[in-house]
């Protein structure tokens, strides 16, 4: 009786084998035979699932198939975003030209001399700075405006104050899309994509220390600002200022272009230097 129970236990613990056979129904010839156990089948199924998941991951991560995922920013959406930004900048330029035209038309009707673009920009700055000129004394207004500009742009001839670069108000040189960001080791400047002919403006008051053509960087202009700050603008289509000119913040200094051998499209190569070292312009300027 004990021997029979032992044989029964051995039979229960014996590994059960399974077989799948592919047989020709007419000739009864076997084409394929697979032998497996339960554990082997489980391992095979898990391996197949892992391999299938790895293949799906590789297809999504390293092939254009990922662009079909809803919400994924593909090249088309990125290109559309850049084009929309360029269109907005173009509309701003058109509006600015119409404002200049309307201002000159009004002056012509009144019999006054038309103004230039630099004069219009300075007039708008003065209008924004003084909210109600009629309620102030003329001398008091001039003095308040002078003090305000000296504190903002650090150009006081009576008392120089070394404000930190974080405390200065920078004008945006050009509105566009940053096509290549700042890298202190390999790319110590930024590239701003915008339509050719877009007006490039000075970021602060200063003096043009270099305005010339270079084979690699095309039409380039450098401006020395107070506080040991230097701004550099390269690949311009045309320079509007020459060496030695005094410029105000927001004054047009060049027209954006695609000049020089080190460029592949219309953009502004912009550098910002402080105390002899390059700094990331995006930390201080909103593009």
């Amino acid at each position: 009786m004990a021997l029979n129970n032992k044989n029964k236990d051995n039979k229960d613990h014996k590994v059960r084998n399974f077989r799948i056979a592919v047989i020709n129904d007419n000739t009864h010839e076997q084409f394929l035979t697979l032998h497996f156990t339960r554990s082997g089948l489980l391992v095979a199924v898990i391996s197949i699932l892992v391999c299938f998941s790895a293949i799906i991951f590789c297809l999504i991560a390293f092939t254009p198939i990922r662009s079909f995922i809803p919400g994924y920013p593909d090249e088309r959406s990125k290109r559309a975003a850049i084009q929309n930004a360029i269109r907005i900048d173009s509309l701003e330029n058109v509006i600015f030209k119409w404002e200049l035209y309307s201002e000159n038309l009004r002056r012509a009707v009144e019999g006054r001399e038309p103004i230039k673009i630099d004069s219009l920009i300075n007039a708008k700055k003065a209008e924004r700075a003084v909210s109600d000129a009629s309620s102030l004394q003329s001398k008091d207004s001039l003095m308040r405006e002078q003090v305000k500009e000296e504190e903002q742009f650090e150009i006081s001839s009576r008392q120089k104050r070394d404000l930190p670069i974080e405390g200065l108000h920078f004008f945006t040189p050009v509105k566009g899309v940053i096509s290549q960001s700042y890298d202190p080791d390999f790319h110590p400047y930024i590239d701003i994509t915008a339509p050719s002919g877009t007006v490039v403006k000075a970021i602060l008051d200063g003096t043009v220390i270099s305005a010339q053509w270079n084979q690699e960087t095309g039409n380039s202009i450098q401006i020395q600002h107070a506080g040991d700050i230097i701004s550099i603008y390269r690949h311009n289509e045309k320079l509007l200022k020459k060496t030695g000119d005094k410029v105000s913040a927001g004054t047009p200094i060049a027209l954006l272009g695609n000049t020089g051998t080190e460029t592949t499209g219309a953009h502004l190569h912009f550098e910002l230097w402080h105390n002899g070292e390059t700094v990331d312009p995006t930390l201080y300027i909103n593009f």
Side-chain angles (χ1 to χ4, degrees):
M1 188 66 178
L3 182 60
N4 291 334
N5 291 334
K6 185 176 181 180
N7 292 335
K8 186 177 180 180
D9 294 338
N10 291 336
K11 184 181 290 186
D12 293 337
H13 292 287
K14 185 177 181 180
V15 178
R16 295 184 179 182
N17 295 322
F18 300 89
R19 180 176 63 179
I20 296 178
V22 180
I23 303 174
N24 190 325
D25 191 41
N26 296 326
T27 62
H28 300 285
E29 180 183 359
Q30 293 187 359
F31 290 98
L32 179 64
T33 303
L34 298 176
H35 297 273
F36 58 90
T37 61
R38 289 182 177 178
S39 59
L41 178 62
L42 181 61
V43 172
V45 171
I46 294 177
S47 300
I48 293 173
L49 291 177
V50 170
C51 293
F52 181 76
S53 301
I55 293 173
I56 295 298
F57 173 79
C58 293
L59 289 176
I60 294 176
F62 304 107
T63 65
I65 294 179
R66 63 180 180 272
S67 61
F68 293 99
I69 300 176
Y72 187 87
D74 56 359
E75 294 298 329
R76 183 180 301 175
S77 61
K78 293 179 181 178
R79 191 181 302 110
I82 294 176
Q83 292 176 352
N84 290 334
I86 292 175
R87 290 192 186 100
I88 293 174
D89 185 73
S90 300
L91 290 175
E92 290 179 351
N93 291 334
V94 171
I95 294 173
F96 180 79
K97 291 178 181 178
W98 274 106
E99 290 179 349
L100 178 61
Y101 172 78
S102 62
E103 178 68 17
N104 283 335
L105 181 61
R106 184 173 64 85
R107 285 175 169 263
V109 171
E110 295 175 355
R112 294 187 295 170
E113 182 180 358
I115 60 175
K116 298 180 180 180
I117 186 172
D118 292 356
S119 301
L120 181 59
I121 292 175
N122 293 331
K124 289 184 177 181
K125 289 170 59 180
E127 290 176 2
R128 288 194 298 265
V130 182
S131 60
D132 190 6
S134 60
S135 63
L136 301 175
Q137 296 290 336
S138 58
K139 293 184 179 180
D140 184 69
S141 299
L142 293 175
M143 184 180 67
R144 289 177 183 271
E145 185 66 17
Q146 181 180 1
V147 172
K148 180 179 179 181
E149 291 180 355
E150 289 175 352
E151 291 178 352
Q152 183 176 4
F153 301 118
E154 194 185 3
I155 58 173
S156 175
S157 58
R158 296 169 297 181
Q159 182 181 3
K160 290 286 185 179
R161 297 188 303 167
D162 294 330
L163 294 178
I165 188 173
E166 294 81 2
L168 298 177
H169 172 71
F170 293 88
F171 277 77
T172 304
V174 64
K175 282 289 186 179
V177 177
I178 298 178
S179 57
Q180 191 165 0
S181 57
Y182 176 86
D183 185 283
D185 298 321
F186 303 101
H187 196 262
Y189 46 87
I190 62 173
D191 293 332
I192 310 168
T193 303
S196 181
T198 302
V199 176
V200 179
K201 303 175 184 178
I203 61 172
L204 292 172
D205 290 1
T207 303
V208 178
I209 58 176
S210 175
Q212 59 185 354
W213 163 269
N214 184 279
Q215 182 67 26
E216 290 77 19
T217 59
N219 289 315
S220 302
I221 185 169
Q222 301 181 22
I223 302 177
Q224 176 71 61
H225 310 283
D228 199 10
I229 298 175
I230 297 177
S231 59
I232 302 176
Y233 318 75
R234 303 188 188 277
H235 303 307
N236 298 287
E237 178 181 338
K238 182 180 179 180
L239 300 180
L240 304 180
K241 300 295 181 182
K242 61 182 183 299
T243 302
D245 287 347
K246 300 288 185 179
V247 296
S248 300
T251 300
I253 58 174
L255 298 180
L256 186 142
N258 185 31
T259 59
T261 59
E262 296 180 351
T263 177
T264 58
H267 74 282
L268 175 65
H269 169 120
F270 179 69
E271 300 180 26
L272 184 61
W273 293 71
H274 182 230
N275 292 332
E277 297 181 355
T278 60
V279 295
D280 186 358
T282 59
L283 299 178
Y284 314 104
I285 304 175
N286 183 18
F287 292 92

mmCIF file of all heavy atoms in Angstrom, residues 195-230:
data_model
loop_
_atom_site.group_PDB
_atom_site.id
_atom_site.type_symbol
_atom_site.label_atom_id
_atom_site.label_comp_id
_atom_site.label_asym_id
_atom_site.label_seq_id
_atom_site.Cartn_x
_atom_site.Cartn_y
_atom_site.Cartn_z
ATOM 1 N N PRO A 195 12.645 87.625 -40.444
ATOM 2 C CA PRO A 195 12.659 87.942 -41.882
ATOM 3 C C PRO A 195 13.809 88.884 -42.238
ATOM 4 O O PRO A 195 14.182 89.760 -41.466
ATOM 5 C CB PRO A 195 11.298 88.607 -42.115
ATOM 6 C CG PRO A 195 10.449 88.160 -40.980
ATOM 7 C CD PRO A 195 11.364 87.992 -39.817
ATOM 8 N N SER A 196 14.352 88.691 -43.438
ATOM 9 C CA SER A 196 15.415 89.575 -43.914
ATOM 10 C C SER A 196 14.887 90.994 -44.038
ATOM 11 O O SER A 196 13.783 91.237 -44.509
ATOM 12 C CB SER A 196 15.928 89.072 -45.265
ATOM 13 O OG SER A 196 16.968 89.896 -45.741
ATOM 14 N N GLY A 197 15.678 91.957 -43.584
ATOM 15 C CA GLY A 197 15.269 93.348 -43.608
ATOM 16 C C GLY A 197 14.640 93.843 -42.327
ATOM 17 O O GLY A 197 14.316 95.030 -42.222
ATOM 18 N N THR A 198 14.463 92.951 -41.344
ATOM 19 C CA THR A 198 13.913 93.368 -40.057
ATOM 20 C C THR A 198 14.854 94.357 -39.370
ATOM 21 O O THR A 198 16.077 94.198 -39.405
ATOM 22 C CB THR A 198 13.695 92.144 -39.147
ATOM 23 O OG1 THR A 198 12.812 91.231 -39.798
ATOM 24 C CG2 THR A 198 13.094 92.555 -37.817
ATOM 25 N N VAL A 199 14.300 95.370 -38.741
ATOM 26 C CA VAL A 199 15.106 96.402 -38.085
ATOM 27 C C VAL A 199 15.768 95.823 -36.831
ATOM 28 O O VAL A 199 15.107 95.221 -35.989
ATOM 29 C CB VAL A 199 14.244 97.621 -37.713
ATOM 30 C CG1 VAL A 199 15.074 98.651 -36.947
ATOM 31 C CG2 VAL A 199 13.651 98.250 -38.968
ATOM 32 N N VAL A 200 17.082 96.010 -36.735
ATOM 33 C CA VAL A 200 17.856 95.605 -35.562
ATOM 34 C C VAL A 200 18.104 96.853 -34.717
ATOM 35 O O VAL A 200 18.542 97.881 -35.239
ATOM 36 C CB VAL A 200 19.189 94.946 -35.970
ATOM 37 C CG1 VAL A 200 19.984 94.553 -34.725
ATOM 38 C CG2 VAL A 200 18.940 93.740 -36.847
ATOM 39 N N LYS A 201 17.836 96.764 -33.407
ATOM 40 C CA LYS A 201 17.906 97.929 -32.531
ATOM 41 C C LYS A 201 18.980 97.745 -31.461
ATOM 42 O O LYS A 201 19.305 96.628 -31.070
ATOM 43 C CB LYS A 201 16.542 98.163 -31.862
ATOM 44 C CG LYS A 201 15.394 98.332 -32.861
ATOM 45 C CD LYS A 201 14.056 98.444 -32.150
ATOM 46 C CE LYS A 201 12.912 98.522 -33.147
ATOM 47 N NZ LYS A 201 11.582 98.581 -32.481
ATOM 48 N N ALA A 202 19.483 98.865 -30.986
ATOM 49 C CA ALA A 202 20.466 98.853 -29.899
ATOM 50 C C ALA A 202 19.781 98.485 -28.589
ATOM 51 O O ALA A 202 18.666 98.932 -28.314
ATOM 52 C CB ALA A 202 21.137 100.207 -29.777
ATOM 53 N N ILE A 203 20.457 97.680 -27.774
ATOM 54 C CA ILE A 203 19.848 97.223 -26.526
ATOM 55 C C ILE A 203 19.976 98.249 -25.413
ATOM 56 O O ILE A 203 19.171 98.270 -24.481
ATOM 57 C CB ILE A 203 20.475 95.890 -26.086
ATOM 58 C CG1 ILE A 203 21.979 96.046 -25.842
ATOM 59 C CG2 ILE A 203 20.203 94.808 -27.121
ATOM 60 C CD1 ILE A 203 22.635 94.833 -25.232
ATOM 61 N N LEU A 204 21.000 99.127 -25.486
ATOM 62 C CA LEU A 204 21.223 100.165 -24.486
ATOM 63 C C LEU A 204 21.822 101.391 -25.164
ATOM 64 O O LEU A 204 22.244 101.329 -26.327
ATOM 65 C CB LEU A 204 22.177 99.675 -23.383
ATOM 66 C CG LEU A 204 21.691 98.577 -22.421
ATOM 67 C CD1 LEU A 204 22.853 98.113 -21.556
ATOM 68 C CD2 LEU A 204 20.549 99.083 -21.551
ATOM 69 N N ASP A 205 21.882 102.490 -24.441
ATOM 70 C CA ASP A 205 22.632 103.643 -24.931
ATOM 71 C C ASP A 205 24.107 103.266 -25.032
ATOM 72 O O ASP A 205 24.624 102.478 -24.219
ATOM 73 C CB ASP A 205 22.472 104.824 -23.979
ATOM 74 C CG ASP A 205 21.059 105.393 -24.011
ATOM 75 O OD1 ASP A 205 20.230 104.834 -24.758
ATOM 76 O OD2 ASP A 205 20.797 106.361 -23.293
ATOM 77 N N GLY A 206 24.797 103.839 -26.001
ATOM 78 C CA GLY A 206 26.208 103.543 -26.115
ATOM 79 C C GLY A 206 26.845 104.206 -27.315
ATOM 80 O O GLY A 206 26.263 105.076 -27.963
ATOM 81 N N THR A 207 28.068 103.757 -27.630
ATOM 82 C CA THR A 207 28.859 104.286 -28.744
ATOM 83 C C THR A 207 29.283 103.133 -29.643
ATOM 84 O O THR A 207 29.760 102.102 -29.161
ATOM 85 C CB THR A 207 30.107 105.018 -28.227
ATOM 86 O OG1 THR A 207 29.707 106.055 -27.328
ATOM 87 C CG2 THR A 207 30.888 105.619 -29.377
ATOM 88 N N VAL A 208 29.113 103.316 -30.945
ATOM 89 C CA VAL A 208 29.524 102.298 -31.906
ATOM 90 C C VAL A 208 31.047 102.285 -31.976
ATOM 91 O O VAL A 208 31.669 103.285 -32.346
ATOM 92 C CB VAL A 208 28.920 102.574 -33.297
ATOM 93 C CG1 VAL A 208 29.407 101.532 -34.298
ATOM 94 C CG2 VAL A 208 27.403 102.584 -33.234
ATOM 95 N N ILE A 209 31.652 101.158 -31.603
ATOM 96 C CA ILE A 209 33.109 101.053 -31.621
ATOM 97 C C ILE A 209 33.608 100.302 -32.846
ATOM 98 O O ILE A 209 34.803 100.313 -33.149
ATOM 99 C CB ILE A 209 33.620 100.361 -30.342
ATOM 100 C CG1 ILE A 209 33.000 98.970 -30.195
ATOM 101 C CG2 ILE A 209 33.330 101.210 -29.117
ATOM 102 C CD1 ILE A 209 33.530 98.194 -28.998
ATOM 103 N N SER A 210 32.691 99.643 -33.565
ATOM 104 C CA SER A 210 33.088 98.943 -34.791
ATOM 105 C C SER A 210 31.847 98.738 -35.648
ATOM 106 O O SER A 210 30.820 98.249 -35.169
ATOM 107 C CB SER A 210 33.740 97.587 -34.463
ATOM 108 O OG SER A 210 34.026 96.876 -35.660
ATOM 109 N N ALA A 211 31.962 99.114 -36.930
ATOM 110 C CA ALA A 211 30.895 98.899 -37.897
ATOM 111 C C ALA A 211 31.558 98.639 -39.241
ATOM 112 O O ALA A 211 31.974 99.566 -39.937
ATOM 113 C CB ALA A 211 29.963 100.109 -37.966
ATOM 114 N N GLN A 212 31.675 97.366 -39.598
ATOM 115 C CA GLN A 212 32.447 97.025 -40.782
ATOM 116 C C GLN A 212 32.005 95.685 -41.355
ATOM 117 O O GLN A 212 31.215 94.952 -40.750
ATOM 118 C CB GLN A 212 33.936 96.955 -40.422
ATOM 119 C CG GLN A 212 34.263 95.926 -39.340
ATOM 120 C CD GLN A 212 35.705 95.950 -38.916
ATOM 121 O OE1 GLN A 212 36.526 96.651 -39.473
ATOM 122 N NE2 GLN A 212 36.036 95.164 -37.903
ATOM 123 N N TRP A 213 32.549 95.382 -42.555
ATOM 124 C CA TRP A 213 32.288 94.118 -43.242
ATOM 125 C C TRP A 213 33.382 93.121 -42.905
ATOM 126 O O TRP A 213 34.566 93.477 -42.826
ATOM 127 C CB TRP A 213 32.227 94.339 -44.753
ATOM 128 C CG TRP A 213 32.363 93.068 -45.546
ATOM 129 C CD1 TRP A 213 33.505 92.509 -46.032
ATOM 130 C CD2 TRP A 213 31.311 92.189 -45.930
ATOM 131 N NE1 TRP A 213 33.236 91.351 -46.694
ATOM 132 C CE2 TRP A 213 31.902 91.117 -46.653
ATOM 133 C CE3 TRP A 213 29.934 92.198 -45.737
ATOM 134 C CZ2 TRP A 213 31.145 90.083 -47.178
ATOM 135 C CZ3 TRP A 213 29.188 91.157 -46.268
ATOM 136 C CH2 TRP A 213 29.786 90.123 -46.973
ATOM 137 N N ASN A 214 32.960 91.865 -42.702
ATOM 138 C CA ASN A 214 33.899 90.780 -42.453
ATOM 139 C C ASN A 214 33.514 89.600 -43.326
ATOM 140 O O ASN A 214 32.334 89.319 -43.519
ATOM 141 C CB ASN A 214 33.887 90.375 -40.965
ATOM 142 C CG ASN A 214 34.916 89.310 -40.638
ATOM 143 O OD1 ASN A 214 34.687 88.130 -40.867
ATOM 144 N ND2 ASN A 214 36.049 89.730 -40.114
ATOM 145 N N GLN A 215 34.506 88.889 -43.857
ATOM 146 C CA GLN A 215 34.237 87.798 -44.783
ATOM 147 C C GLN A 215 33.404 86.692 -44.140
ATOM 148 O O GLN A 215 32.505 86.121 -44.765
ATOM 149 C CB GLN A 215 35.557 87.198 -45.299
ATOM 150 C CG GLN A 215 35.391 86.066 -46.315
ATOM 151 C CD GLN A 215 34.812 86.551 -47.626
ATOM 152 O OE1 GLN A 215 34.972 87.719 -47.986
ATOM 153 N NE2 GLN A 215 34.128 85.682 -48.352
ATOM 154 N N GLU A 216 33.672 86.381 -42.873
ATOM 155 C CA GLU A 216 32.964 85.300 -42.198
ATOM 156 C C GLU A 216 31.629 85.760 -41.619
ATOM 157 O O GLU A 216 30.617 85.064 -41.724
ATOM 158 C CB GLU A 216 33.822 84.706 -41.066
ATOM 159 C CG GLU A 216 35.029 83.913 -41.532
ATOM 160 C CD GLU A 216 36.168 84.790 -41.990
ATOM 161 O OE1 GLU A 216 36.169 85.991 -41.619
ATOM 162 O OE2 GLU A 216 37.049 84.302 -42.721
ATOM 163 N N THR A 217 31.608 86.923 -40.982
ATOM 164 C CA THR A 217 30.410 87.369 -40.261
ATOM 165 C C THR A 217 29.620 88.444 -40.988
ATOM 166 O O THR A 217 28.601 88.920 -40.473
ATOM 167 C CB THR A 217 30.804 87.900 -38.870
ATOM 168 O OG1 THR A 217 31.729 88.994 -39.028
ATOM 169 C CG2 THR A 217 31.461 86.809 -38.045
ATOM 170 N N GLY A 218 30.048 88.845 -42.199
ATOM 171 C CA GLY A 218 29.305 89.825 -42.976
ATOM 172 C C GLY A 218 29.319 91.202 -42.329
ATOM 173 O O GLY A 218 30.302 91.613 -41.697
ATOM 174 N N ASN A 219 28.225 91.945 -42.482
ATOM 175 C CA ASN A 219 28.111 93.279 -41.885
ATOM 176 C C ASN A 219 27.914 93.142 -40.380
ATOM 177 O O ASN A 219 26.897 92.616 -39.926
ATOM 178 C CB ASN A 219 26.937 94.037 -42.499
ATOM 179 C CG ASN A 219 27.210 94.444 -43.936
ATOM 180 O OD1 ASN A 219 28.290 94.935 -44.249
ATOM 181 N ND2 ASN A 219 26.240 94.240 -44.811
ATOM 182 N N SER A 220 28.888 93.607 -39.620
ATOM 183 C CA SER A 220 28.852 93.470 -38.162
ATOM 184 C C SER A 220 28.992 94.844 -37.515
ATOM 185 O O SER A 220 29.662 95.735 -38.044
ATOM 186 C CB SER A 220 29.977 92.552 -37.669
ATOM 187 O OG SER A 220 29.880 91.270 -38.262
ATOM 188 N N ILE A 221 28.358 94.983 -36.354
ATOM 189 C CA ILE A 221 28.421 96.232 -35.607
ATOM 190 C C ILE A 221 28.570 95.910 -34.125
ATOM 191 O O ILE A 221 27.931 94.989 -33.617
ATOM 192 C CB ILE A 221 27.178 97.104 -35.880
ATOM 193 C CG1 ILE A 221 27.311 98.468 -35.198
ATOM 194 C CG2 ILE A 221 25.900 96.410 -35.458
ATOM 195 C CD1 ILE A 221 26.260 99.466 -35.639
ATOM 196 N N GLN A 222 29.459 96.650 -33.450
ATOM 197 C CA GLN A 222 29.703 96.465 -32.021
ATOM 198 C C GLN A 222 29.459 97.788 -31.305
ATOM 199 O O GLN A 222 29.879 98.845 -31.783
ATOM 200 C CB GLN A 222 31.133 95.994 -31.764
ATOM 201 C CG GLN A 222 31.488 94.680 -32.445
ATOM 202 C CD GLN A 222 32.910 94.243 -32.131
ATOM 203 O OE1 GLN A 222 33.492 94.651 -31.129
ATOM 204 N NE2 GLN A 222 33.466 93.414 -33.005
ATOM 205 N N ILE A 223 28.796 97.703 -30.152
ATOM 206 C CA ILE A 223 28.454 98.905 -29.391
ATOM 207 C C ILE A 223 28.988 98.759 -27.969
ATOM 208 O O ILE A 223 28.774 97.736 -27.318
ATOM 209 C CB ILE A 223 26.931 99.133 -29.361
ATOM 210 C CG1 ILE A 223 26.379 99.251 -30.786
ATOM 211 C CG2 ILE A 223 26.586 100.378 -28.562
ATOM 212 C CD1 ILE A 223 24.881 99.412 -30.841
ATOM 213 N N GLN A 224 29.683 99.804 -27.507
ATOM 214 C CA GLN A 224 30.173 99.864 -26.132
ATOM 215 C C GLN A 224 29.141 100.591 -25.278
ATOM 216 O O GLN A 224 28.747 101.719 -25.579
ATOM 217 C CB GLN A 224 31.504 100.605 -26.078
ATOM 218 C CG GLN A 224 32.048 100.806 -24.670
ATOM 219 C CD GLN A 224 32.539 99.514 -24.046
ATOM 220 O OE1 GLN A 224 33.444 98.869 -24.552
ATOM 221 N NE2 GLN A 224 31.932 99.138 -22.925
ATOM 222 N N HIS A 225 28.687 99.941 -24.209
ATOM 223 C CA HIS A 225 27.723 100.527 -23.291
ATOM 224 C C HIS A 225 28.390 100.797 -21.953
ATOM 225 O O HIS A 225 29.498 100.315 -21.666
ATOM 226 C CB HIS A 225 26.525 99.585 -23.097
ATOM 227 C CG HIS A 225 25.934 99.081 -24.374
ATOM 228 N ND1 HIS A 225 25.123 99.835 -25.175
ATOM 229 C CD2 HIS A 225 26.059 97.873 -24.992
ATOM 230 C CE1 HIS A 225 24.749 99.129 -26.226
ATOM 231 N NE2 HIS A 225 25.306 97.930 -26.145
ATOM 232 N N ALA A 226 27.709 101.560 -21.119
ATOM 233 C CA ALA A 226 28.222 101.817 -19.779
ATOM 234 C C ALA A 226 28.200 100.535 -18.954
ATOM 235 O O ALA A 226 27.465 99.594 -19.252
ATOM 236 C CB ALA A 226 27.372 102.899 -19.095
ATOM 237 N N GLY A 227 29.019 100.510 -17.904
ATOM 238 C CA GLY A 227 29.069 99.330 -17.049
ATOM 239 C C GLY A 227 29.871 98.197 -17.644
ATOM 240 O O GLY A 227 29.661 97.033 -17.281
ATOM 241 N N ASP A 228 30.798 98.512 -18.572
ATOM 242 C CA ASP A 228 31.641 97.495 -19.214
ATOM 243 C C ASP A 228 30.789 96.434 -19.912
ATOM 244 O O ASP A 228 31.011 95.233 -19.770
ATOM 245 C CB ASP A 228 32.579 96.843 -18.192
ATOM 246 C CG ASP A 228 33.771 96.149 -18.859
ATOM 247 O OD1 ASP A 228 33.955 96.352 -20.074
ATOM 248 O OD2 ASP A 228 34.495 95.410 -18.168
ATOM 249 N N ILE A 229 29.796 96.882 -20.658
ATOM 250 C CA ILE A 229 28.917 95.988 -21.426
ATOM 251 C C ILE A 229 29.130 96.262 -22.907
ATOM 252 O O ILE A 229 29.177 97.412 -23.338
ATOM 253 C CB ILE A 229 27.436 96.212 -21.057
ATOM 254 C CG1 ILE A 229 27.212 95.890 -19.576
ATOM 255 C CG2 ILE A 229 26.524 95.360 -21.925
ATOM 256 C CD1 ILE A 229 25.803 96.206 -19.097
ATOM 257 N N ILE A 230 29.260 95.199 -23.687
ATOM 258 C CA ILE A 230 29.425 95.294 -25.139
ATOM 259 C C ILE A 230 28.398 94.386 -25.796
ATOM 260 O O ILE A 230 28.212 93.235 -25.382
ATOM 261 C CB ILE A 230 30.845 94.894 -25.584
ATOM 262 C CG1 ILE A 230 31.887 95.855 -25.005
ATOM 263 C CG2 ILE A 230 30.950 94.852 -27.112
ATOM 264 C CD1 ILE A 230 33.320 95.486 -25.347
#
